[in-house]
Amino acid sequence: MLAPPTLDVAAHHIAAALRHPPEPDREEYSRFRAGLEAVTDLGRDVLAADLGGGVGADGTTRAELAEAVGVGSSRALGRLFDALVDILLGEGYVTDDGGRLHRTERLDALDTSADAVSHRAATVTQRYAQVSDYLSLLVAAQQNLRPVLSGAKQGVDLLMPGGSMNLVEDLYKKNVQADFYNALVGECVSERARRYARRYPHSTLQVLEAGAGTGATADVLLRGLEPQADRVQYYFTDIGDFFVAQARRRYADRRNVRFCVHDIERPAEEQGIEPHSMDLVVASSVLHATRDVGRTLRSCARLLKAGGALVINELVHRMDYNTLTFGLTEGWWLFEDPQRRIPGSPLLTAAAWREALREAGFCHVEVSGVPGVPEGEQAQCVIVAARGEAGALDD
């Protein structure tokens, strides 16, 4: 009996696309980063004026400030509050003297009146049009910070009101950073599809995207796979049926796309997916939002054939913007393995991803980002790793 076809896991094959990544427009990318920092600066000032108002003249402990703000009792809200206070400390709005927070001149000099904030927001939007969506999301989040911290409102309802994706959808596309990394993921996948089609002319490549969400990455993947559409089976999966239902309508004309609700943290066979049946698993900005990265990576491995590849697209640097927006959602703080995470966030560094992947039995781990930028300075990375030998990961 012939063994089922698998991808060649040789290092020079597994990361071929990563070694010749697409180039972002450097000027546009620099302007985007500057614009995002300007938006974040505004958010920090608004945060400082809000929370900093609870810091008394004689100083205030974190516990006293949390009580004054009315922070809810859940672990997620406690983590969010601590991360927000860390922003105030890191940016010099307050100082910590023996466990007591004290106001600084920077905090006292802030002008966060409605007119001042409106003027700054208009200036940022006018100068950096490409971050207007980021600004809209920040405003929605910060206007409701107190109700979220108290537990009276759910952050996810603010970011996706009534289930609408209008506030967040364009953050995953239509900007130079998102488009670059989606293109890099797309090139990795399409390159493997081309190679697979040449090597196995009578077989079908099985590709599963975990947490496909708004479809920002799926759009790119499906365009890149069009030349091999009759040789590729693509699975659009997400933990929520809302996104899956949207995708059914969006890709209704694509016969090579299947749709299913799937939780990447749970065993594949419990969800109707045959273990070790996928050639590629793609996860874009999703794996950080799981409770235990090691367990999640083993679950990914159980989906893959021996030699199959996992393609991860993740932020690898903590940014205050994300804390001020996505940090308001409970899912941002689900993690139960803080030793792996960047402090004050659910994210992992590129080095931590390498270690976690190798511990989970993956090999040939390759990391890529913006060309010319050292790995430790990348804000985001695409990471590709190959599943090890058959049976090595079955636990």
Side-chain angles (χ1 to χ4, degrees):
M1 179 181 294
L2 293 176
T6 62
L7 294 180
D8 187 342
V9 300
H12 64 282
H13 284 312
I14 202 69
L18 285 176
R19 291 177 180 168
H20 302 285
E23 281 273 358
D25 183 305
R26 295 289 180 156
E27 182 176 350
E28 185 181 0
Y29 184 73
S30 294
R31 284 187 60 77
F32 170 80
R33 298 298 303 174
L36 184 56
E37 185 61 23
V39 170
T40 305
D41 278 342
L42 176 57
R44 293 185 187 113
D45 284 354
V46 172
L47 168 71
D50 188 357
L51 290 192
V55 178
D58 296 327
T60 304
T61 66
R62 284 197 186 217
E64 290 169 344
L65 181 58
E67 184 177 0
V69 172
V71 178
S73 59
S74 74
R75 182 177 66 178
L77 294 177
R79 284 176 165 176
L80 169 60
F81 173 75
D82 281 337
L84 294 175
V85 173
D86 287 342
I87 291 175
L88 301 188
L89 287 165
E91 295 299 317
Y93 299 104
V94 298
T95 59
D96 188 331
D97 181 11
R100 295 191 71 81
L101 304 173
H102 293 271
R103 302 171 66 91
T104 67
E105 292 182 358
R106 181 178 184 186
L107 176 57
D108 291 333
L110 286 176
D111 180 4
T112 56
S113 63
D115 287 344
V117 171
S118 179
H119 176 72
R120 283 182 63 182
T123 300
V124 170
T125 302
Q126 183 177 17
R127 186 173 182 183
Y128 304 106
Q130 61 267 61
V131 298
S132 60
D133 294 315
Y134 285 79
L135 181 60
S136 298
L137 184 65
L138 179 73
V139 169
Q142 291 304 292
Q143 284 178 339
N144 293 277
L145 178 61
R146 289 291 187 109
V148 169
L149 279 172
S150 71
K153 288 187 178 181
Q154 296 296 310
V156 69
D157 294 334
L158 303 176
L159 304 190
M160 293 182 287
S164 170
M165 299 301 298
N166 290 341
L167 281 175
V168 300
E169 188 168 12
D170 286 348
L171 270 63
Y172 298 106
K173 58 184 179 181
K174 295 183 181 179
N175 68 72
V176 64
Q177 180 167 295
D179 289 348
F180 167 73
Y181 285 101
N182 281 332
L184 185 51
V185 171
E187 182 56 30
C188 289
V189 172
S190 60
E191 186 273 335
R192 281 159 183 73
R194 290 190 292 269
R195 178 160 45 85
Y196 189 95
R198 290 194 301 268
R199 185 167 182 178
Y200 303 109
H202 304 296
S203 298
T204 299
L205 183 74
Q206 304 290 320
V207 181
L208 182 145
E209 183 178 356
T214 65
T217 301
D219 286 346
V220 176
L221 294 180
L222 291 172
R223 281 199 302 271
L225 291 171
E226 280 180 359
Q228 289 83 34
D230 60 338
R231 303 283 312 286
V232 176
Q233 185 71 65
Y234 168 83
Y235 294 78
F236 183 106
T237 78
D238 196 88
I239 194 171
D241 54 8
F242 172 79
F243 289 118
V244 174
Q246 278 197 331
R248 286 183 188 277
R249 295 189 294 270
R250 186 172 186 167
Y251 306 118
D253 61 334
R254 295 183 179 269
R255 290 182 296 175
N256 66 327
V257 179
R258 294 186 181 179
F259 309 90
C260 59
V261 175
H262 177 258
D263 182 354
I264 193 61
E265 296 190 74
R266 291 175 50 216
E269 59 270 32
E270 293 180 3
Q271 304 176 78
I273 298 178
E274 192 75 23
H276 309 312
S277 61
M278 297 296 156
D279 296 290
L280 289 169
V281 170
V282 179
S284 190
S285 298
V286 63
L287 299 188
H288 72 268
T290 60
R291 291 172 175 79
D292 184 307
V293 163
R295 185 170 64 231
T296 298
L297 291 177
R298 290 191 294 274
S299 178
C300 291
R302 190 159 175 76
L303 284 168
L304 289 164
K305 301 174 184 176
L310 173 62
V311 182
I312 301 171
N313 178 14
E314 282 284 356
L315 292 167
V316 292
H317 183 77
R318 187 189 68 79
M319 293 186 291
D320 290 345
Y321 177 85
N322 291 326
T323 305
L324 295 170
T325 53
F326 297 107
L328 272 62
T329 65
E330 185 177 2
W332 190 253
W333 307 105
L334 278 177
F335 59 91
E336 298 171 354
D337 53 352
Q339 72 281 2
R340 290 195 188 274
R341 314 294 177 129
I342 299 172
S345 83
L347 307 175
L348 284 73
T349 64
W353 277 114
R354 289 180 186 274
E355 180 180 4
L357 284 161
R358 286 170 177 150
E359 287 178 3
F362 286 88
C363 56
H364 304 309
V365 180
E366 295 280 347
V367 178
S368 186
V370 177
V373 177
E375 181 176 298
E377 298 176 17
Q378 298 279 357
Q380 190 168 341
C381 287
V382 171
I383 305 162
V384 179
R387 181 180 182 269
E389 292 301 318
L393 302 169
D394 297 338
D395 53 16

